[in-house]
PDB file of all heavy atoms in Angstrom:
ATOM      1  N   ASN A   1     112.311   7.893-114.062  1.00  0.00           N
ATOM      2  CA  ASN A   1     110.940   8.084-113.611  1.00  0.00           C
ATOM      3  C   ASN A   1     109.835   7.761-114.598  1.00  0.00           C
ATOM      4  O   ASN A   1     108.885   7.058-114.467  1.00  0.00           O
ATOM      5  CB  ASN A   1     110.669   9.587-113.185  1.00  0.00           C
ATOM      6  CG  ASN A   1     111.448   9.792-111.918  1.00  0.00           C
ATOM      7  OD1 ASN A   1     111.676   8.907-111.010  1.00  0.00           O
ATOM      8  ND2 ASN A   1     111.777  11.121-111.595  1.00  0.00           N
ATOM      9  N   GLU A   2     110.104   8.083-115.937  1.00  0.00           N
ATOM     10  CA  GLU A   2     109.207   7.845-117.044  1.00  0.00           C
ATOM     11  C   GLU A   2     109.264   6.321-117.177  1.00  0.00           C
ATOM     12  O   GLU A   2     108.174   5.716-117.514  1.00  0.00           O
ATOM     13  CB  GLU A   2     109.759   8.593-118.275  1.00  0.00           C
ATOM     14  CG  GLU A   2     109.537  10.012-118.181  1.00  0.00           C
ATOM     15  CD  GLU A   2     110.120  10.821-119.426  1.00  0.00           C
ATOM     16  OE1 GLU A   2     110.896  10.135-120.091  1.00  0.00           O
ATOM     17  OE2 GLU A   2     109.771  11.950-119.518  1.00  0.00           O
ATOM     18  N   ALA A   3     110.405   5.634-117.338  1.00  0.00           N
ATOM     19  CA  ALA A   3     110.428   4.321-117.486  1.00  0.00           C
ATOM     20  C   ALA A   3     109.766   3.481-116.317  1.00  0.00           C
ATOM     21  O   ALA A   3     109.037   2.523-116.506  1.00  0.00           O
ATOM     22  CB  ALA A   3     111.834   3.723-117.606  1.00  0.00           C
ATOM     23  N   LYS A   4     109.940   4.073-115.082  1.00  0.00           N
ATOM     24  CA  LYS A   4     109.271   3.485-114.004  1.00  0.00           C
ATOM     25  C   LYS A   4     107.777   3.539-114.045  1.00  0.00           C
ATOM     26  O   LYS A   4     107.081   2.592-113.789  1.00  0.00           O
ATOM     27  CB  LYS A   4     109.719   4.266-112.699  1.00  0.00           C
ATOM     28  CG  LYS A   4     109.285   3.585-111.411  1.00  0.00           C
ATOM     29  CD  LYS A   4     109.837   4.292-110.216  1.00  0.00           C
ATOM     30  CE  LYS A   4     109.369   3.539-108.906  1.00  0.00           C
ATOM     31  NZ  LYS A   4     110.007   4.442-107.728  1.00  0.00           N
ATOM     32  N   GLU A   5     107.192   4.643-114.546  1.00  0.00           N
ATOM     33  CA  GLU A   5     105.718   4.729-114.777  1.00  0.00           C
ATOM     34  C   GLU A   5     105.357   3.716-115.721  1.00  0.00           C
ATOM     35  O   GLU A   5     104.250   3.142-115.621  1.00  0.00           O
ATOM     36  CB  GLU A   5     105.492   6.261-115.301  1.00  0.00           C
ATOM     37  CG  GLU A   5     105.654   7.306-114.139  1.00  0.00           C
ATOM     38  CD  GLU A   5     105.387   8.701-114.648  1.00  0.00           C
ATOM     39  OE1 GLU A   5     104.982   8.839-115.869  1.00  0.00           O
ATOM     40  OE2 GLU A   5     105.443   9.608-113.940  1.00  0.00           O
ATOM     41  N   ILE A   6     106.085   3.458-116.882  1.00  0.00           N
ATOM     42  CA  ILE A   6     105.617   2.535-117.861  1.00  0.00           C
ATOM     43  C   ILE A   6     105.586   1.158-117.254  1.00  0.00           C
ATOM     44  O   ILE A   6     104.603   0.436-117.475  1.00  0.00           O
ATOM     45  CB  ILE A   6     106.703   2.623-119.197  1.00  0.00           C
ATOM     46  CG1 ILE A   6     106.468   3.931-119.747  1.00  0.00           C
ATOM     47  CG2 ILE A   6     106.328   1.402-120.020  1.00  0.00           C
ATOM     48  CD1 ILE A   6     107.530   4.141-120.770  1.00  0.00           C
ATOM     49  N   VAL A   7     106.666   0.813-116.416  1.00  0.00           N
ATOM     50  CA  VAL A   7     106.611  -0.635-115.901  1.00  0.00           C
ATOM     51  C   VAL A   7     105.514  -0.696-114.801  1.00  0.00           C
ATOM     52  O   VAL A   7     104.875  -1.736-114.872  1.00  0.00           O
ATOM     53  CB  VAL A   7     108.018  -0.804-115.215  1.00  0.00           C
ATOM     54  CG1 VAL A   7     108.016  -2.150-114.449  1.00  0.00           C
ATOM     55  CG2 VAL A   7     109.025  -0.902-116.233  1.00  0.00           C
ATOM     56  N   LEU A   8     105.200   0.404-114.076  1.00  0.00           N
ATOM     57  CA  LEU A   8     104.219   0.229-113.007  1.00  0.00           C
ATOM     58  C   LEU A   8     102.895   0.158-113.711  1.00  0.00           C
ATOM     59  O   LEU A   8     101.988  -0.491-113.146  1.00  0.00           O
ATOM     60  CB  LEU A   8     104.219   1.475-112.211  1.00  0.00           C
ATOM     61  CG  LEU A   8     105.463   1.496-111.144  1.00  0.00           C
ATOM     62  CD1 LEU A   8     105.399   2.884-110.373  1.00  0.00           C
ATOM     63  CD2 LEU A   8     105.514   0.355-110.178  1.00  0.00           C
ATOM     64  N   ALA A   9     102.665   0.867-114.903  1.00  0.00           N
ATOM     65  CA  ALA A   9     101.469   0.840-115.570  1.00  0.00           C
ATOM     66  C   ALA A   9     101.217  -0.690-116.009  1.00  0.00           C
ATOM     67  O   ALA A   9     100.121  -1.284-115.989  1.00  0.00           O
ATOM     68  CB  ALA A   9     101.438   1.716-116.713  1.00  0.00           C
ATOM     69  N   LYS A  10     102.313  -1.363-116.512  1.00  0.00           N
ATOM     70  CA  LYS A  10     102.236  -2.680-117.091  1.00  0.00           C
ATOM     71  C   LYS A  10     101.964  -3.628-115.935  1.00  0.00           C
ATOM     72  O   LYS A  10     101.031  -4.505-115.921  1.00  0.00           O
ATOM     73  CB  LYS A  10     103.518  -3.123-117.678  1.00  0.00           C
ATOM     74  CG  LYS A  10     103.555  -4.505-118.259  1.00  0.00           C
ATOM     75  CD  LYS A  10     102.579  -4.595-119.453  1.00  0.00           C
ATOM     76  CE  LYS A  10     102.493  -5.869-120.175  1.00  0.00           C
ATOM     77  NZ  LYS A  10     101.512  -6.019-121.301  1.00  0.00           N
ATOM     78  N   VAL A  11     102.582  -3.383-114.648  1.00  0.00           N
ATOM     79  CA  VAL A  11     102.352  -4.234-113.513  1.00  0.00           C
ATOM     80  C   VAL A  11     100.879  -4.025-113.094  1.00  0.00           C
ATOM     81  O   VAL A  11     100.243  -5.140-112.722  1.00  0.00           O
ATOM     82  CB  VAL A  11     103.255  -3.878-112.400  1.00  0.00           C
ATOM     83  CG1 VAL A  11     102.896  -4.622-111.116  1.00  0.00           C
ATOM     84  CG2 VAL A  11     104.754  -4.361-112.812  1.00  0.00           C
ATOM     85  N   GLU A  12     100.410  -2.744-113.090  1.00  0.00           N
ATOM     86  CA  GLU A  12      99.042  -2.550-112.741  1.00  0.00           C
ATOM     87  C   GLU A  12      98.046  -3.249-113.576  1.00  0.00           C
ATOM     88  O   GLU A  12      97.043  -3.840-113.104  1.00  0.00           O
ATOM     89  CB  GLU A  12      98.791  -1.037-112.703  1.00  0.00           C
ATOM     90  CG  GLU A  12      97.357  -0.723-112.293  1.00  0.00           C
ATOM     91  CD  GLU A  12      97.098   0.795-112.276  1.00  0.00           C
ATOM     92  OE1 GLU A  12      98.048   1.534-112.584  1.00  0.00           O
ATOM     93  OE2 GLU A  12      95.982   1.114-111.975  1.00  0.00           O
ATOM     94  N   GLU A  13      98.283  -3.317-114.919  1.00  0.00           N
ATOM     95  CA  GLU A  13      97.439  -3.887-115.793  1.00  0.00           C
ATOM     96  C   GLU A  13      97.382  -5.487-115.577  1.00  0.00           C
ATOM     97  O   GLU A  13      96.279  -6.025-115.569  1.00  0.00           O
ATOM     98  CB  GLU A  13      97.943  -3.631-117.296  1.00  0.00           C
ATOM     99  CG  GLU A  13      97.099  -4.412-118.338  1.00  0.00           C
ATOM    100  CD  GLU A  13      97.656  -3.973-119.800  1.00  0.00           C
ATOM    101  OE1 GLU A  13      98.567  -3.331-119.892  1.00  0.00           O
ATOM    102  OE2 GLU A  13      97.258  -4.640-120.737  1.00  0.00           O
ATOM    103  N   GLN A  14      98.674  -6.101-115.327  1.00  0.00           N
ATOM    104  CA  GLN A  14      98.716  -7.416-114.973  1.00  0.00           C
ATOM    105  C   GLN A  14      97.859  -7.845-113.631  1.00  0.00           C
ATOM    106  O   GLN A  14      97.222  -8.871-113.501  1.00  0.00           O
ATOM    107  CB  GLN A  14     100.206  -7.960-114.872  1.00  0.00           C
ATOM    108  CG  GLN A  14     100.836  -7.896-116.233  1.00  0.00           C
ATOM    109  CD  GLN A  14     102.248  -8.366-116.150  1.00  0.00           C
ATOM    110  OE1 GLN A  14     102.726  -8.465-114.995  1.00  0.00           O
ATOM    111  NE2 GLN A  14     102.912  -8.446-117.158  1.00  0.00           N
ATOM    112  N   SER A  15      98.160  -6.938-112.779  1.00  0.00           N
ATOM    113  CA  SER A  15      97.322  -7.127-111.449  1.00  0.00           C
ATOM    114  C   SER A  15      95.879  -6.899-111.660  1.00  0.00           C
ATOM    115  O   SER A  15      95.182  -7.749-110.996  1.00  0.00           O
ATOM    116  CB  SER A  15      97.864  -6.122-110.407  1.00  0.00           C
ATOM    117  OG  SER A  15      99.157  -6.158-110.057  1.00  0.00           O
ATOM    118  N   ARG A  16      95.506  -6.020-112.473  1.00  0.00           N
ATOM    119  CA  ARG A  16      94.012  -5.905-112.714  1.00  0.00           C
ATOM    120  C   ARG A  16      93.428  -7.213-113.316  1.00  0.00           C
ATOM    121  O   ARG A  16      92.306  -7.600-112.820  1.00  0.00           O
ATOM    122  CB  ARG A  16      93.805  -4.713-113.620  1.00  0.00           C
ATOM    123  CG  ARG A  16      92.378  -4.681-114.165  1.00  0.00           C
ATOM    124  CD  ARG A  16      92.129  -3.435-114.967  1.00  0.00           C
ATOM    125  NE  ARG A  16      90.712  -3.324-115.596  1.00  0.00           N
ATOM    126  CZ  ARG A  16      89.789  -2.790-114.968  1.00  0.00           C
ATOM    127  NH1 ARG A  16      89.971  -2.164-113.784  1.00  0.00           N
ATOM    128  NH2 ARG A  16      88.633  -2.766-115.465  1.00  0.00           N
ATOM    129  N   ALA A  17      94.204  -7.903-114.198  1.00  0.00           N
ATOM    130  CA  ALA A  17      93.723  -9.108-114.729  1.00  0.00           C
ATOM    131  C   ALA A  17      93.596 -10.176-113.623  1.00  0.00           C
ATOM    132  O   ALA A  17      92.632 -10.820-113.531  1.00  0.00           O
ATOM    133  CB  ALA A  17      94.705  -9.599-115.783  1.00  0.00           C
ATOM    134  N   GLU A  18      94.686 -10.248-112.779  1.00  0.00           N
ATOM    135  CA  GLU A  18      94.605 -11.178-111.605  1.00  0.00           C
ATOM    136  C   GLU A  18      93.425 -10.856-110.749  1.00  0.00           C
ATOM    137  O   GLU A  18      92.718 -11.898-110.311  1.00  0.00           O
ATOM    138  CB  GLU A  18      95.935 -11.179-110.874  1.00  0.00           C
ATOM    139  CG  GLU A  18      97.114 -11.708-111.673  1.00  0.00           C
ATOM    140  CD  GLU A  18      98.380 -11.550-110.972  1.00  0.00           C
ATOM    141  OE1 GLU A  18      98.354 -11.253-109.779  1.00  0.00           O
ATOM    142  OE2 GLU A  18      99.440 -12.007-111.494  1.00  0.00           O
ATOM    143  N   ILE A  19      93.287  -9.656-110.370  1.00  0.00           N
ATOM    144  CA  ILE A  19      92.209  -9.378-109.497  1.00  0.00           C
ATOM    145  C   ILE A  19      90.814  -9.606-110.161  1.00  0.00           C
ATOM    146  O   ILE A  19      89.842 -10.226-109.443  1.00  0.00           O
ATOM    147  CB  ILE A  19      92.161  -7.795-109.281  1.00  0.00           C
ATOM    148  CG1 ILE A  19      93.436  -7.463-108.361  1.00  0.00           C
ATOM    149  CG2 ILE A  19      90.971  -7.255-108.472  1.00  0.00           C
ATOM    150  CD1 ILE A  19      93.751  -6.026-108.188  1.00  0.00           C
ATOM    151  N   ALA A  20      90.698  -9.362-111.470  1.00  0.00           N
ATOM    152  CA  ALA A  20      89.378  -9.721-112.154  1.00  0.00           C
ATOM    153  C   ALA A  20      89.109 -11.191-112.112  1.00  0.00           C
ATOM    154  O   ALA A  20      88.018 -11.614-111.989  1.00  0.00           O
ATOM    155  CB  ALA A  20      89.493  -9.279-113.535  1.00  0.00           C
ATOM    156  N   HIS A  21      90.235 -11.954-112.349  1.00  0.00           N
ATOM    157  CA  HIS A  21      90.086 -13.419-112.148  1.00  0.00           C
ATOM    158  C   HIS A  21      89.539 -13.878-110.915  1.00  0.00           C
ATOM    159  O   HIS A  21      88.657 -14.777-110.723  1.00  0.00           O
ATOM    160  CB  HIS A  21      91.398 -14.133-112.592  1.00  0.00           C
ATOM    161  CG  HIS A  21      91.315 -15.632-112.455  1.00  0.00           C
ATOM    162  ND1 HIS A  21      90.546 -16.341-113.502  1.00  0.00           N
ATOM    163  CD2 HIS A  21      91.848 -16.527-111.683  1.00  0.00           C
ATOM    164  CE1 HIS A  21      90.701 -17.587-113.155  1.00  0.00           C
ATOM    165  NE2 HIS A  21      91.409 -17.746-112.092  1.00  0.00           N
ATOM    166  N   THR A  22      90.230 -13.303-109.750  1.00  0.00           N
ATOM    167  CA  THR A  22      89.908 -13.649-108.403  1.00  0.00           C
ATOM    168  C   THR A  22      88.437 -13.271-108.133  1.00  0.00           C
ATOM    169  O   THR A  22      87.481 -14.033-107.578  1.00  0.00           O
ATOM    170  CB  THR A  22      90.744 -13.003-107.403  1.00  0.00           C
ATOM    171  OG1 THR A  22      92.098 -13.395-107.714  1.00  0.00           O
ATOM    172  CG2 THR A  22      90.317 -13.469-106.020  1.00  0.00           C
ATOM    173  N   VAL A  23      88.047 -12.046-108.502  1.00  0.00           N
ATOM    174  CA  VAL A  23      86.584 -11.508-108.226  1.00  0.00           C
ATOM    175  C   VAL A  23      85.824 -12.361-108.985  1.00  0.00           C
ATOM    176  O   VAL A  23      84.578 -12.721-108.515  1.00  0.00           O
ATOM    177  CB  VAL A  23      86.644 -10.095-108.831  1.00  0.00           C
ATOM    178  CG1 VAL A  23      85.188  -9.576-108.988  1.00  0.00           C
ATOM    179  CG2 VAL A  23      87.356  -9.175-107.890  1.00  0.00           C
ATOM    180  N   ARG A  24      86.043 -12.861-110.239  1.00  0.00           N
ATOM    181  CA  ARG A  24      85.134 -13.646-111.013  1.00  0.00           C
ATOM    182  C   ARG A  24      84.793 -14.929-110.281  1.00  0.00           C
ATOM    183  O   ARG A  24      83.746 -15.430-110.265  1.00  0.00           O
ATOM    184  CB  ARG A  24      85.710 -13.935-112.413  1.00  0.00           C
ATOM    185  CG  ARG A  24      84.939 -14.703-113.390  1.00  0.00           C
ATOM    186  CD  ARG A  24      85.623 -14.925-114.588  1.00  0.00           C
ATOM    187  NE  ARG A  24      84.709 -15.815-115.489  1.00  0.00           N
ATOM    188  CZ  ARG A  24      85.179 -16.232-116.791  1.00  0.00           C
ATOM    189  NH1 ARG A  24      86.360 -15.981-117.208  1.00  0.00           N
ATOM    190  NH2 ARG A  24      84.501 -16.984-117.532  1.00  0.00           N
ATOM    191  N   ARG A  25      85.893 -15.614-109.857  1.00  0.00           N
ATOM    192  CA  ARG A  25      85.882 -16.784-109.161  1.00  0.00           C
ATOM    193  C   ARG A  25      84.923 -16.850-107.864  1.00  0.00           C
ATOM    194  O   ARG A  25      84.071 -17.471-107.693  1.00  0.00           O
ATOM    195  CB  ARG A  25      87.116 -17.405-108.824  1.00  0.00           C
ATOM    196  CG  ARG A  25      87.125 -18.797-108.016  1.00  0.00           C
ATOM    197  CD  ARG A  25      88.562 -19.335-107.907  1.00  0.00           C
ATOM    198  NE  ARG A  25      89.317 -18.431-107.238  1.00  0.00           N
ATOM    199  CZ  ARG A  25      89.327 -18.217-105.874  1.00  0.00           C
ATOM    200  NH1 ARG A  25      88.489 -19.052-105.125  1.00  0.00           N
ATOM    201  NH2 ARG A  25      90.214 -17.365-105.280  1.00  0.00           N
TER     202      ARG A  25
END
């Protein structure tokens, strides 16, 4: 569960960057 939370946080961070790029465009 702890490892899962770390991976999900990383995925969320990457998704935030993708969302930010789309929003910017």
Side-chain angles (χ1 to χ4, degrees):
N1 290 333
E2 291 173 345
K4 187 176 182 180
E5 289 178 1
I6 293 173
V7 173
L8 290 177
K10 186 64 177 176
V11 171
E12 182 180 357
E13 182 180 352
Q14 293 177 353
S15 299
R16 177 181 172 84
E18 293 178 1
I19 292 170
H21 178 71
T22 304
V23 168
R24 180 183 180 186
R25 178 176 58 81

